[in-house]
Amino acid sequence: MDPNSEIIVRTLKGFPNNAALLSGKLVTVFEDGSPADYEHGVYIHHILVADVGKTTFPFALCPDTQVKKYVGPWTASFVLDAVGAGFIQVGNDAVNGANIYAARGKDSSIKSAFMTGFNDMFLMEAEIVNYRPDNQTVYINAELEYLPEKPEGYLDASTVIFSATGCNNPGYKPPNQNPQYNHTSEDFVMKQDGTIVNMR
């Protein structure tokens, strides 16, 4: 965590009930609607929104959560499972991109969307950094593309964060002597069958 950051945890309302969400995007703006981004002294480390209680898939996976000797991450894996399914997740260089739940492409035969129920509860956790010396008020806007009713035959999709560096030691540092390098994660254990419809 950045020592200058603000950590925000709260529940959210206003998302469509019993609908099929095709894409979701979160943007930060000032009161006049202009972008609140790093060019204006605002850095979005991450904004994570989960559908609490939805059990399609945990919102984050770390390879070391599968190793019992790493007690902290292994215990955290049960917490991740309990939080719910990932809904919209953005951060740093991917902050302006949308989360796509619908399989795109003219050759795709997969029909998918993020399915909401009636009165779902959504939980947001965000870390936002203000690099200006004065206070700034920032608003978070959600942009959604959705079908008002759940169509037949659609798969229920959700977003998942994969941590290539693991969760046991988040203080990852690149090699000192190698300006270019590759990093290969440990194996991820998938707890259920599924299809990847989009990734970034």
Side-chain angles (χ1 to χ4, degrees):
M1 299 294 184
D2 191 301
N4 298 314
S5 66
E6 292 287 339
I7 307 299
I8 304 168
V9 179
R10 63 184 57 186
T11 57
L12 301 178
K13 298 180 179 180
F15 296 115
N17 283 326
N18 197 40
L21 280 62
L22 306 178
S23 69
K25 180 179 180 180
L26 292 174
V27 294
T28 50
V29 298
F30 295 114
E31 187 173 7
D32 62 0
S34 62
D37 53 22
Y38 64 91
E39 293 183 355
H40 299 90
V42 178
Y43 172 65
I44 309 302
H45 183 275
H46 66 267
I47 305 175
L48 310 176
V49 180
D51 189 341
V52 178
K54 185 175 180 179
T55 58
T56 49
F57 215 80
F59 77 93
L61 284 178
C62 305
D64 45 27
T65 58
Q66 313 298 330
V67 183
K68 290 186 178 181
K69 69 178 182 179
Y70 299 142
V71 178
W74 184 69
T75 304
S77 68
F78 295 97
V79 177
L80 296 177
D81 286 342
V83 168
F87 176 37
I88 305 177
Q89 311 198 57
V90 298
N92 50 64
D93 60 344
V95 72
N96 290 321
N99 289 209
I100 309 296
Y101 319 113
R104 300 292 174 89
K106 62 180 181 180
D107 297 327
S108 176
S109 60
I110 299 174
K111 302 295 183 182
S112 60
F114 188 101
M115 304 297 185
T116 60
F118 289 100
N119 301 315
D120 284 10
M121 183 174 72
F122 294 88
L123 178 67
M124 180 188 75
E125 193 274 330
E127 182 180 1
I128 301 176
V129 185
N130 177 21
Y131 286 121
R132 295 282 174 87
D134 51 328
N135 292 333
Q136 299 194 88
T137 301
V138 174
Y139 298 85
I140 299 175
N141 284 350
E143 300 177 6
L144 303 176
E145 178 186 7
Y146 68 96
L147 303 174
E149 296 181 358
K150 297 178 182 178
E152 293 289 336
Y154 270 54
L155 300 176
D156 194 356
S158 58
T159 61
V160 183
I161 296 174
F162 289 86
S163 175
T165 57
C167 298
N168 190 45
N169 181 15
Y172 176 73
K173 296 181 179 179
N176 292 328
Q177 305 300 324
N178 299 318
Q180 294 182 340
Y181 64 95
N182 293 323
H183 176 82
T184 302
S185 73
E186 299 178 29
D187 293 340
F188 287 87
V189 178
M190 299 294 105
K191 299 181 179 180
Q192 56 185 281
D193 294 337
T195 301
I196 298 175
V197 296
N198 185 41
M199 64 185 300
R200 60 175 181 172

